């Protein structure tokens, strides 16, 4: 099927969905033994950091750390079901924070008690890779030093915020969402030149507000559902859409050929070119003052 072919081309999303089926069994209501683990490390001359976060089911929070910590990790878990995994390779600068399943039995119900909090340094340039399965995720990535960002979520309610400008220009931001609700705000604060988003089924909101200091491009692919694109009035925007049975609200834009342009496209100091592919649903555009 078209959806199966789409998933086959997206290994990151497939892995995130696999985490749902493999790790959400960790949070059931039957006899449980809950534990809390804490781990942290101070900054010690690191020049770069590769961060891999893999969390199966529960509530995931990612936010900046208090100085001078390189990272801080806290996890509440049922030890009969899962175990925390924390590894750091100083030679390669790779930090991995994950869950390892101990028991494959049980239901897929996500317990409110299962949660993990990851705090990351603001000062060391980061390549951040987050794979999240089921539950609720809140990622406040504003004010970090992000080189690259990769996010893949499964059946979850995920909110990503870049509330303040990235300390360095990011090379790229890639986001994949499975079946649920996904929103990303302040994307302009990443200072990235390239954005990619792929959504499966559900609702997605991409907010490009922020401190724009360069032009950029975005590739947006949506399966079935509603997509909302929010653009700052100060940025020149061009939208090229390729959609099937999808309604499109291009209010505030002028059509030229096969593309839609904001009225300030020719004069704007920074421009955003967006290519949209959608299968079934709706595409709405909102203009914001930012």
């Amino acid at each position: 099927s078209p959806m199966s072919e789409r998933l086959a081309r997206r290994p990151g999303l497939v892995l995130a969905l696999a985490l749902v089926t493999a790790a959400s069994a960790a949070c059931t209501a039957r006899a449980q033994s809950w534990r809390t683990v804490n781990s942290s490390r101070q900054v010690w001359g690191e020049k770069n950091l590769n961060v891999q976060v893999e969390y199966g089911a529960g509530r995931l929070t990612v936010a900046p750390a208090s100085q001078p910590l390189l990272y801080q990790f806290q996890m509440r878990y049922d030890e009969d079901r899962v175990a925390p995994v924390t590894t750091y390779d100083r030679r390669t600068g790779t930090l991995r924070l994950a869950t390892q399943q101990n028991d494959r039995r049980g239901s897929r119900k996500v317990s409110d008690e299962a949660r993990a909090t990851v705090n990351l340094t603001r000062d060391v340039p980061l390549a951040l890779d987050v794979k999240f399965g089921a539950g609720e995720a809140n990622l406040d990535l504003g004010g970090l030093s992000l080189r690259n960002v990769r996010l893949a979520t499964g059946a979850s309610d995920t909110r990503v915020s870049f509330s303040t400008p990235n300390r360095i220009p990011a090379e790229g931001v890639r986001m994949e969402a499975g079946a649920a609700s996904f929103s990303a705000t302040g994307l302009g604060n990443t200072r990235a030149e390239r954005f990619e988003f792929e959504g499966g089924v559900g609702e997605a909101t991409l907010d490009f507000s922020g401190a724009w200091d360069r032009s950029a491009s975005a590739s947006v692919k949506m399966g079935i559902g509603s997509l909302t694109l929010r653009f700052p009035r100060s940025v020149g925007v061009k939208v090229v859409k390729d959609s099937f049975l999808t309604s499109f609200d291009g209010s505030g834009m002028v059509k030229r050929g096969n593309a839609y342009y904001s009225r300030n496209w020719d004069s704007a100091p920074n421009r955003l070119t967006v290519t949209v592919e959608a299968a079934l649903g709706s595409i709405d555009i909102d203009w914001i003052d930012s």
Side-chain angles (χ1 to χ4, degrees):
S1 66
M3 185 60 68
S4 298
E5 294 176 359
R6 181 183 292 271
L7 289 174
R9 295 193 301 267
R10 295 155 61 187
L13 179 55
V14 171
L15 177 55
L17 291 171
L19 286 171
V20 178
T21 59
S24 59
C27 308
T28 61
R30 68 178 184 82
Q32 296 165 323
S33 180
W34 291 95
R35 297 287 184 269
T36 300
V37 64
N38 290 277
S39 176
S40 64
R41 184 183 183 91
Q42 290 187 318
V43 176
W44 197 260
E46 285 83 0
K47 301 300 182 182
N48 289 283
L49 185 64
N50 302 310
V51 181
Q52 302 169 359
V53 178
E54 298 177 14
Y55 188 63
R59 295 184 179 182
L60 174 65
T61 301
V62 181
S66 300
Q67 296 177 344
L69 291 179
L70 186 68
Y71 79 92
Q72 185 172 27
F73 178 51
Q74 183 182 81
M75 179 175 160
R76 178 75 172 163
Y77 65 101
D78 174 14
E79 67 176 356
D80 292 334
R81 299 295 187 181
V82 296
V85 176
T86 304
T87 61
Y88 176 64
D89 187 334
R90 181 175 171 80
R91 181 180 58 84
T92 62
T94 301
L95 170 67
R96 182 169 181 259
L97 306 172
T99 54
Q100 175 179 297
Q101 187 176 355
N102 292 333
D103 188 351
R104 296 185 178 276
R105 296 172 299 173
S107 70
R108 297 180 181 178
K109 181 179 178 181
V110 179
S111 170
D112 290 338
E113 215 174 332
R115 58 185 181 272
T117 300
V118 179
N119 300 106
L120 299 171
T121 177
R122 301 173 187 266
D123 300 321
V124 179
L126 305 173
L128 178 61
D129 188 344
V130 178
K131 297 179 177 66
F132 175 63
E136 179 180 319
N138 289 280
L139 287 71
D140 180 5
L141 306 181
L144 295 176
S145 300
L146 296 166
R147 293 185 287 115
N148 278 292
V149 180
R150 292 180 60 92
L151 308 174
T153 69
S156 64
D157 180 2
T158 300
R159 292 179 292 276
V160 185
S161 171
F162 300 91
S163 55
T164 55
N166 197 32
R167 294 193 172 193
I168 60 175
E171 296 174 11
V173 176
R174 179 173 177 81
M175 301 166 287
E176 300 180 14
S181 173
F182 181 93
S183 70
T185 60
L187 288 169
N189 278 332
T190 64
R191 304 170 63 196
E193 293 185 351
R194 184 181 70 259
F195 301 92
E196 297 177 77
F197 173 79
E198 293 194 24
V201 180
E203 301 177 353
T205 298
L206 304 180
D207 177 319
F208 289 90
S209 61
W212 281 81
D213 60 3
R214 67 192 60 224
S215 294
S217 64
S219 170
V220 179
K221 298 179 181 179
M222 189 73 188
I224 301 174
S226 63
L227 171 66
T228 300
L229 301 173
R230 293 177 179 163
F231 301 126
R233 299 183 191 277
S234 60
V235 176
V237 178
K238 173 184 176 181
V239 176
V240 181
K241 73 178 186 74
D242 179 9
S243 57
F244 175 70
L245 297 179
T246 300
S247 64
F248 176 73
D249 179 9
S251 58
M253 308 193 79
V254 177
K255 188 176 182 181
R256 303 181 195 169
N258 66 340
Y260 293 81
Y261 295 81
S262 62
R263 300 184 187 279
N264 67 335
W265 171 260
D266 294 324
S267 59
N270 299 303
R271 298 175 179 177
L272 173 63
T273 300
V274 184
T275 302
V276 181
E277 297 181 25
L280 181 64
S282 63
I283 304 172
D284 295 311
I285 293 179
D286 292 340
W287 296 98
I288 54 179
D289 295 318
S290 174

